[in-house]
Amino acid sequence: MIVYFPPLHARHAPPCEIFRGERVPCFETPERAAIVHEALRQRGHALREPDRDSSPFLARVHTPPYLAFLETAWARWLALDADNAGRQPFPSVWPVRSLRSDVEPGNFIAQLGLYSFDNGTPISAGTWLAAKQAADAAVSAVACLGAGEVGVFSAGRPPGHHAGRDFMGGYCFLNHAAVAAEALREAGCRRVAILDVDYHHGNGTQSLFYDRADVLFVSIHGDPRSEYPFYLGHADETGSGAGAGFNLNLPLPAGSSVADWFSALDVALARIAGFRPEALVVSLGLDTYAGDPISRFALQAADFRQLGRCLRRQNLPTAFILEGGYAVAALGVNAAGVLDGFEESCPGGPA
């Protein structure tokens, strides 16, 4: 399979995050992508650098003020104090409920709160470059589908599915799955399905397409009553306006069995088949693995290969977008397992 791997991903390397009120080393690290890269290289997948510009599609997915903030945030942080080069900016106030969010404040930390929904998504010197090139990788993958590939993997980081039109969170800054869906629509696909299999609900992706009928969003994830991001991902969220009926959430209790997870996948794939999409985007979170440090499902390495087989049976051009997965040592094996399973029934795929 062709794999787009953005070499600038390692520019996003914040040293710490805030987790459960404490400053801890980041779970989302450059090592994640490096492990995936090496595992796929060893399996013989074709590794390429992104060769398409995602800017036109980023402008459709995110607001201009938000994009401008992300692109200039680190330079503005340094302009406040040269010593900030050794510090990380974190938001300390958010415009919730009765507070106004329609007026951008002049204060940098207040802007950081305006454009984020948590304080666990640290910005570093290379955040914009890494996130932008990951979006470029998603668009490059879509271009390969247009050239006749059955499946393509965009292996960028930081991940993207928690990022909304004008906010970041959950380690995510730009929504790469949404960018891929918009690129597929631009390429002529009348209907696109997005399947999110990350342990954590893709709240950003849902919010971006919630009122649209041309993009179906389906997500299998930990029940938001106990699992991050907590405030979206319930089963009664089915879309609004023109998008009514085009959003399907399949929340599962923490600790759900492999059998229950695959039962939910059957429901998800049946809904996708009924939608009759012309292409599929998979937000490939690998944090459903039993050994993941911040997630609580039970999938083993062999189950990721089975996931790949199930997705191939949909017989759709498929763009895989790397999302979460924090059991770093197992990440490459699990990513390779999905691609191997997908290619098993493809001509020339591995046995």
Side-chain angles (χ1 to χ4, degrees), residues 12-16 69-70 73-75 77 87-90 108 112 120-128 168 173:
H12 175 66
C16 65
F69 174 79
L70 283 182
W74 189 257
W77 175 238
R87 305 184 183 116
Q88 283 182 255
F90 286 102
F108 176 80
L112 197 58
T121 307
I123 288 177
S124 67
T127 295
W128 169 256
M168 58 188 166
F173 301 90

Side-chain angles (χ1 to χ4, degrees), residues 58 60-63 66-67 70 115-118 121 127-128 131 135 158-179 194 196 198 200-209 217 228-229 232 283 322-323:
L58 288 173
R60 297 184 187 184
V61 170
H62 298 291
T63 65
Y66 175 63
L67 292 172
L70 283 182
Y115 293 122
S116 66
F117 71 87
D118 66 16
T121 307
T127 295
W128 169 256
H161 71 149
H162 293 305
R165 191 167 304 282
D166 59 357
F167 60 81
M168 58 188 166
Y171 310 140
C172 302
F173 301 90
L174 300 174
N175 196 308
H176 316 308
V179 164
I194 300 175
D196 193 322
D198 194 281
H200 305 96
H201 178 253
N203 59 290
T205 313
Q206 172 174 307
S207 68
L208 286 162
F209 298 108
F217 178 69
Y228 184 95
L232 213 62
S283 272
L322 182 63
E323 300 285 3

Side-chain angles (χ1 to χ4, degrees), residues 263-331:
S263 292
L265 179 64
D266 288 342
V267 174
L269 294 178
R271 178 67 185 91
I272 289 169
F275 180 60
R276 296 182 296 112
E278 295 169 14
L280 175 64
V281 176
V282 179
S283 272
L284 186 61
L286 299 166
D287 47 3
T288 49
Y289 177 61
D292 195 272
I294 58 174
S295 306
R296 296 190 286 169
F297 281 164
L299 273 65
Q300 301 293 335
D303 298 314
F304 290 99
R305 194 176 189 115
Q306 178 60 22
L307 168 60
R309 295 189 191 105
C310 293
L311 295 173
R312 182 66 186 94
R313 286 196 289 268
Q314 304 314 298
N315 197 31
L316 291 167
T318 302
F320 294 92
I321 311 294
L322 182 63
E323 300 285 3
Y326 309 100
V328 177
L331 199 60

